[in-house]
Amino acid sequence: MTSGEAEVPAKRLTGGPGLLLVWLYGVMVVGAMSRSAYQIATEFDRAPLAYSLSALAGVVYGFITYTLVRGGETARRAALVCCAAELVGVLTVGTWTLVDPSAFPDATVWSDYGMGYLFIPVLLPVSAIYWLRRARERQAA
């Protein structure tokens, strides 16, 4: 950066409802990661696909939480892409668990569209996508 350039601070994505999203994603990180870590460590051979998918969900939740807290346009875009991927994952795994329940001897975070987590796994990315799109509109204005 040259002496004539001013550093532009990243716009926060945690204002208003964004703070609730960060909190909910943080709770989901803890829930998905602790559950999958325990299951992978103690009974991985019982349902390796389900436990691995739960761990993947926890990683995705963690990345989205980080990008929301980081803020800025690049983080907003990354969060938007991850939320879209998360939604595709929830819909895919949710449908798969309904169509072929024998493929999942134990539930994942995204089983039955997140029914075991009060449907938060399917509602959260939809809410986050809406919020992130609105954040872009607010920044453009």
Side-chain angles (χ1 to χ4, degrees):
M1 176 161 64
T2 65
S3 60
E5 294 177 12
E7 188 172 323
V8 178
K11 293 215 177 192
R12 293 182 49 122
L13 297 170
T14 56
L19 184 59
L20 179 59
L21 286 174
V22 168
W23 186 84
L24 288 170
Y25 270 114
V27 168
M28 293 303 291
V29 169
V30 172
M33 292 304 290
S34 60
R35 175 183 177 174
S36 64
Y38 173 78
Q39 291 171 322
I40 288 170
T42 61
E43 50 195 24
F44 185 71
D45 58 329
R46 181 172 164 221
L49 178 60
Y51 303 151
S52 298
L53 286 172
S54 288
L56 176 64
V59 170
V60 170
Y61 294 145
F63 183 77
I64 292 169
T65 303
Y66 168 76
T67 58
L68 290 172
V69 169
R70 180 173 165 85
E73 182 58 19
T74 302
R76 189 198 63 77
R77 286 182 191 159
L80 193 57
V81 169
C82 282
C83 288
E86 173 195 359
L87 182 58
V88 168
V90 172
L91 295 174
T92 302
V93 172
T95 302
W96 190 1
T97 57
L98 294 175
V99 171
D100 185 15
S102 64
F104 296 89
D106 203 353
T108 74
V109 173
W110 294 342
S111 292
D112 303 322
Y113 307 109
M115 185 169 59
Y117 287 81
L118 305 173
F119 296 103
I120 292 172
V122 76
L123 297 173
L124 198 53
V126 172
S127 302
I129 289 168
Y130 175 76
W131 172 251
L132 290 164
R133 290 178 58 89
R134 294 263 334 262
R136 180 184 63 194
E137 292 167 6
R138 281 192 313 274
Q139 287 177 354

